Amino acid sequence: MSNAPLKPMREHGYLVLSLDTELAWGYYDDDDARERLFSADGSRERRSIERVLALCDDQGIRATWAMVGHLFFSQCEDCAPCPVAAWRDDHRGFREVHVTGQAAQMQPAHPQLAQMQPAHPQLVHPQPAHPQWYAPDVRDLLLAASDRHELAFHGFSHRPFHQMDADAAQSEVQAWLAVAGRFGVKPESIVFPRNRVGHLPLFADAGFRCFRAPDRTPRWHLRRFGSALKSADDLLALSTPRVYRREQLRREQGLIRVPSSAHLFDFPRGLELRLDRVGLQRLRLRGIAKAIDHAARSGGILHLWAHPWELRTPADEDKLEYLLGLAAEQIAAGRLRSITMSELSALASRTERR
């Protein structure tokens, strides 16, 4: 029997997965791209959301689902003021989102809803709500999974916050809180639309605890030299997404800053499809795979993110399943934990108090 001294146990690492759940709202201001990327009836995007949720649950992965607030609605409630009124002359989506009239009444759970009540409650909708702009089924699916996943803020209308004044930002936040509050949702985490951070003190005053910060590491800056250089880096796994230490989580204007490590589908789609066709869909993931291992072995934090709609093919599903499977192996070995953004912010807060 060896008498060698035992090495101290290293603390396990952490995996954070945040998912920007927005359907058509992510491209509200780009009609051509929206119509090219998304299915007309929202069925493909819903299958992707269901598949991502199933993959997470199968592998024991907890995720932060950042949802656009307007998706909580079942249909247009003819709100006054209308949150998309400014689109009327600029975006074709206005005609799909704004449907005059009110088919069903919902009683407000919060005082803030007073400013969002139907202007014409006696009217009836002439047509069903558009499935790319309204998603009560997605809302209910994620609410049913709230014992193992987190619902987070992703803007009420996906407008970037850095382009708003304080009053507009306040309206977006209160509108999200009002409609989500009908279903008992009290968010703690923020994923800013398009990763453009803004008005942090306003969110701190509203009771939020943390926000996803964009990746600004040297690896991210490779894109400044064109997509080819970053793609080569991904394929050759010359560098890996950044793994953070808990001590590097810091407070910014009252909120815990949770840096992202990698966007899972930040890769040229044409090249990706060519790799997929020859069975090499996992080739570009080697750097992320290394980062999962590094987080597990070093006690670090890896924060991955994606849009569920980006899982458009079986090969895309295989990529996510492969990475979550690697994480699940580390979890089973006791070297990694899967936690949500709000859970990570709670850990960071405890570290601050030490």
Side-chain angles (χ1 to χ4, degrees):
M1 188 173 185
S2 172
N3 292 319
L6 294 174
K7 294 182 179 180
M9 291 185 65
R10 189 184 297 274
E11 184 180 4
H12 51 66
Y14 297 92
L15 173 70
V16 178
L17 176 64
S18 54
L19 299 162
D20 300 16
T21 311
E22 57 201 33
L23 299 182
W25 288 94
Y27 287 81
Y28 77 91
D29 54 353
D30 191 339
D31 295 321
D32 293 337
R34 185 179 67 250
E35 291 165 8
R36 182 180 72 252
L37 289 171
F38 297 102
S39 62
D41 62 358
S43 59
R44 184 176 67 235
E45 292 73 30
R46 281 165 168 78
R47 284 194 300 271
S48 296
I49 289 170
E50 292 171 354
R51 183 60 178 147
V52 173
L53 182 60
L55 287 173
C56 287
D57 287 346
D58 288 347
Q59 303 289 1
I61 302 299
R62 301 167 68 82
T64 294
W65 295 78
M67 191 165 172
V68 169
H70 201 282
L71 293 174
F72 279 87
F73 286 118
S74 297
Q75 57 203 347
C76 178
E77 297 193 6
D78 216 14
C79 302
C82 173
V84 298
W87 300 6
R88 186 185 302 272
D89 299 320
D90 297 324
H91 309 306
R92 294 194 294 271
F94 177 82
R95 296 190 298 274
E96 299 171 349
V97 180
H98 186 265
V99 183
T100 304
Q102 173 70 10
Q105 297 295 315
M106 298 184 71
Q107 295 302 315
H110 292 273
Q112 297 97 321
L113 279 180
Q115 62 180 350
M116 294 179 57
Q117 290 312 292
H120 307 289
Q122 73 279 10
L123 298 179
V124 176
H125 273 290
Q127 63 187 57
H130 195 291
Q132 284 287 10
W133 304 99
Y134 298 87
D137 52 336
V138 174
R139 173 200 71 204
D140 292 344
L141 180 71
L142 297 180
L143 285 172
S146 60
D147 61 327
R148 55 196 186 277
H149 298 279
E150 175 188 18
L151 264 175
F153 176 95
H154 194 42
F156 181 71
S157 64
H158 207 270
R159 291 174 57 201
F161 273 76
H162 74 294
Q163 296 176 350
M164 298 182 200
D165 61 22
D167 288 341
Q170 179 75 21
S171 295
E172 279 268 319
V173 172
Q174 293 306 318
W176 199 104
L177 293 175
V179 68
R182 297 175 176 182
F183 306 96
V185 177
K186 297 179 180 179
E188 296 183 343
S189 304
I190 308 153
V191 172
F192 282 98
R194 296 177 186 166
N195 284 317
R196 301 304 297 266
V197 177
H199 300 283
L200 290 179
L202 187 155
F203 285 94
D205 291 343
F208 289 87
R209 296 177 59 176
C210 65
F211 69 99
R212 187 178 77 196
D215 177 15
R216 290 294 182 266
T217 60
R219 183 176 182 276
W220 181 89
H221 286 290
L222 286 174
R223 69 184 63 229
R224 292 187 174 186
F225 302 98
S227 62
L229 186 57
K230 183 182 177 300
S231 298
D233 181 59
D234 287 335
L235 292 171
L236 299 173
L238 298 176
S239 64
T240 60
R242 187 174 181 184
V243 172
Y244 297 86
R245 297 188 306 276
R246 195 195 300 187
E247 312 85 73
Q248 292 178 291
L249 299 176
R250 58 183 177 81
R251 194 171 293 276
E252 186 173 324
Q253 298 184 64
L255 297 169
I256 298 293
R257 184 179 186 274
V258 180
S260 60
S261 301
H263 175 195
L264 294 180
F265 289 90
D266 184 18
F267 194 79
R269 188 60 179 171
L271 176 56
E272 183 154 46
L273 290 174
R274 289 195 291 274
L275 292 170
D276 293 351
R277 281 194 291 269
V278 295
L280 295 176
Q281 64 265 24
R282 297 181 181 180
L283 180 63
R284 71 170 184 85
L285 302 176
R286 290 183 298 162
I288 299 176
K290 288 181 180 179
I292 292 172
D293 183 74
H294 177 51
R297 295 182 182 279
S298 67
I301 302 162
L302 179 68
H303 183 180
L304 306 176
W305 70 275
H307 303 89
W309 68 261
E310 290 170 319
L311 274 74
R312 289 173 272 184
T313 66
D316 292 332
E317 294 181 12
D318 177 77
K319 293 161 198 165
L320 182 61
E321 185 172 16
Y322 166 64
L323 293 174
L324 297 188
L326 293 178
E329 291 174 5
Q330 298 288 1
I331 292 170
R335 292 193 290 264
L336 192 70
R337 277 187 60 197
S338 171
I339 59 174
T340 64
M341 285 179 57
S342 64
E343 289 170 334
L344 182 62
S345 73
L347 286 174
S349 295
R350 289 201 290 271
T351 300
E352 283 182 327
R353 293 194 292 269
R354 288 177 182 173

